[in-house]
Amino acid sequence: MEGVRVALHPLTFVEEGEDVVIGRSDIDSFAVFPADAAAVVGWLRDGATIADAARRYTAAYGEEADIEDLVDMLDELRFIRRDEEDEGDAKSGPQPDGPGAVPLQRLGAAVFSAPAWALYAVLTAAALAVAVRHPQLRPGPSKVFFSPSLLLVELASFLGQFPGIALHESFHVLAGRRLGLPSRLSLGRRLYFVVFQTTLVGLMGVPRRKRVLPVLAGLLADALVASVLILAAEADLLVHGEVTVWGGLALALAFGALMRMAWQCLFFLETDLHHLFAHTLALPDLQELARSYLRERTAWLPRRRRTATTAVSARATDRELAVLRWYVPLLVLGSTALCVLAATAALPVLVGFATRFHSALSSGSLDQGFWDAAVAALIMFTQFGVAAWIAVRDRLRRAAAARTAPSPGKTGRRAG
């Protein structure tokens, strides 16, 4: 392989302390390389043969390097250009080495421009001032019941969240497009619910500080939605002298937006804050590493002994272990936050529904209130029942697959 050259796809190189994140943005494939291995990849990209790279490495670092093993890893990461890919690239034209012009890039720049940030600050400050000045305009669990009709409350709480969720994900997309990344919004499914989801393609190919806004842009959108809805409720109060059903609906939806923000603190559910750590620390497998590390640290529990796996401390790098030592406690705090959120937000809403269901269904009168509550109860219990059935079914399938599948060792994506 003396004169063999390795044809590489356009790659991004981003320094992360002593390491370098190298990636192919078009397929969102990235890996962390030590600086010396990254130098070899750079030589290969610039046209050096494998033999030339080996000689340059020995001259620079005073020892021999297994370049062929590094090339195998580059091939596994799909960094090496194949013949059929050459043909496809010839048809599509040259590709840039980094982020370039993408649709909606100007809109993304405008949405996160200095005037826009000033407007966002004014809206948020105004909403906070309203909440301080008018306690009745503070979103809370009781504000969910803005109408005597439980069916209306249920449908509005469910359907009314979709525009806010779509805006949340759209802000992620626009923050990525602002950087020239081909981020995209799509529809997905969680259990049997249709959800919006964002793919921030190529985010690891930009400097660390630029990754923060695309990841946290959804939180900004939720804060703006809550602020605008609180201000709308105040306008309703000023016009009518009281909070009508429209102002109540605004406060109910504002409560939902605030709950979306609180939800992001639940790290173990791979929320936006988790992705912030994963992207800024260049550890895409952070969640899996953290769970394995936590299982290892609790292996003394009887149940944990039966599910013990290879010790993370034996296969993780020093950098990964340093991150895990402070991230795992945050993971535990996230579980605690879930309990607090359930007790202070979800439980009061469920109790409110249960109390109203009981009052309407036990009245003994088959009036409009009875049928309204009956249909609302049927919809709610059907949702919980289907969700529970799907969760149990998926758990049984995973357990069956775990019993029948072999247990191969996991291959890390760190090079060096």
Side-chain angles (χ1 to χ4, degrees):
M1 302 182 72
E2 284 290 319
V4 174
R5 285 184 169 83
V6 180
L8 297 176
H9 284 277
L11 302 175
T12 58
F13 290 70
V14 179
E15 294 185 2
E16 294 280 354
E18 298 179 355
D19 298 321
V20 179
V21 177
I22 303 178
R24 183 179 162 189
S25 296
D26 59 325
I27 62 171
D28 210 32
S29 177
F30 293 88
V32 182
F33 289 75
D36 57 344
V40 175
V41 177
W43 299 335
L44 296 174
R45 177 199 58 182
D46 295 337
T49 65
I50 291 179
D52 290 338
R55 284 191 290 269
R56 291 179 66 176
Y57 186 92
T58 301
Y61 298 99
E63 57 184 18
E64 295 184 355
D66 190 348
I67 306 297
E68 294 183 13
D69 183 63
L70 176 61
V71 170
D72 289 339
M73 181 171 293
L74 295 177
D75 188 44
E76 180 183 345
L77 292 165
R78 298 173 62 191
F79 289 176
I80 296 179
R81 191 191 302 272
R82 301 183 182 277
D83 292 340
E84 61 271 18
E85 293 173 326
D86 286 336
E87 295 176 1
D89 291 342
K91 295 178 181 179
S92 61
Q95 297 178 358
D97 287 344
V102 295
L104 302 180
Q105 187 169 5
R106 290 185 177 180
L107 177 60
V111 168
F112 299 102
S113 62
W117 281 106
L119 175 62
Y120 302 157
V122 170
L123 286 174
T124 305
L128 289 173
V130 168
V132 170
R133 189 167 61 249
H134 301 289
Q136 70 270 35
L137 297 181
R138 297 173 188 172
S142 63
K143 298 299 191 297
V144 171
F145 304 98
F146 65 92
S147 168
S149 170
L150 293 177
L151 182 59
L152 178 60
V153 168
E154 195 171 280
L155 292 177
S157 298
F158 176 70
L159 298 176
Q161 296 300 326
F162 278 97
I165 294 172
L167 185 65
H168 175 110
E169 300 299 337
S170 296
F171 263 50
H172 285 306
V173 171
L174 290 174
R177 294 293 178 95
R178 167 179 168 269
L179 299 177
L181 303 177
S183 50
R184 56 183 181 268
L185 179 64
S186 60
L187 292 177
R189 183 179 67 87
R190 292 181 184 173
L191 293 178
Y192 62 95
F193 295 107
V194 176
V195 297
F196 297 95
Q197 54 192 20
T198 303
T199 304
L200 291 170
V201 180
L203 187 60
M204 293 295 295
V206 300
R208 180 184 302 182
R209 62 182 179 81
K210 292 186 177 181
R211 300 174 202 157
V212 175
L213 180 58
V215 177
L216 296 185
L219 276 170
L220 171 62
D222 291 335
L224 292 176
V225 168
S227 298
V228 170
L229 289 170
I230 291 173
L231 294 175
E234 183 195 30
D236 181 62
L237 176 63
L238 293 176
V239 170
H240 299 98
E242 61 179 357
V243 179
T244 68
V245 67
W246 296 107
L249 174 60
L251 292 176
L253 296 178
F255 174 72
L258 294 177
M259 288 303 97
R260 287 198 300 274
M261 296 180 68
W263 184 265
Q264 304 305 327
C265 297
L266 309 181
F267 300 96
F268 65 98
L269 295 177
E270 300 190 24
T271 56
D272 289 354
L273 291 182
H274 156 73
H275 288 294
L276 174 67
F277 289 121
H279 282 90
T280 55
L281 296 172
L283 290 175
D285 296 330
L286 177 60
Q287 193 75 350
E288 184 176 345
L289 284 170
R291 288 172 177 169
S292 298
Y293 186 81
L294 187 58
R295 284 195 295 268
E296 176 189 333
R297 293 301 173 182
T298 57
W300 54 272
L301 294 173
R303 184 178 179 183
R304 291 297 187 188
R305 291 195 194 108
R306 296 195 299 270
T307 59
T309 57
T310 305
V312 175
S313 55
R315 55 188 172 89
T317 65
D318 292 340
R319 176 174 173 272
E320 289 170 342
L321 287 175
V323 171
L324 289 174
R325 290 189 185 100
W326 62 260
Y327 181 77
V328 168
L330 286 182
L331 204 64
V332 176
L333 287 176
S335 300
T336 305
L338 176 62
C339 297
V340 173
L341 190 61
T344 59
L347 185 59
V349 172
L350 291 176
V351 170
F353 270 110
T355 302
R356 287 166 174 81
F357 284 150
H358 180 268
S359 176
L361 297 177
S362 62
S363 63
S365 175
L366 299 180
D367 56 6
Q368 180 180 350
F370 173 88
W371 292 111
D372 178 271
V375 174
L378 178 62
I379 293 175
M380 176 174 289
F381 292 134
T382 299
Q383 287 181 342
F384 282 116
V386 172
W389 174 74
I390 293 177
V392 171
R393 182 200 63 183
D394 291 347
R395 185 178 182 87
L396 292 176
R397 286 180 177 177
R398 288 194 297 268
R403 287 194 299 268
T404 58
S407 302
K410 185 181 185 300
T411 301
R413 295 196 64 188
R414 178 183 170 83

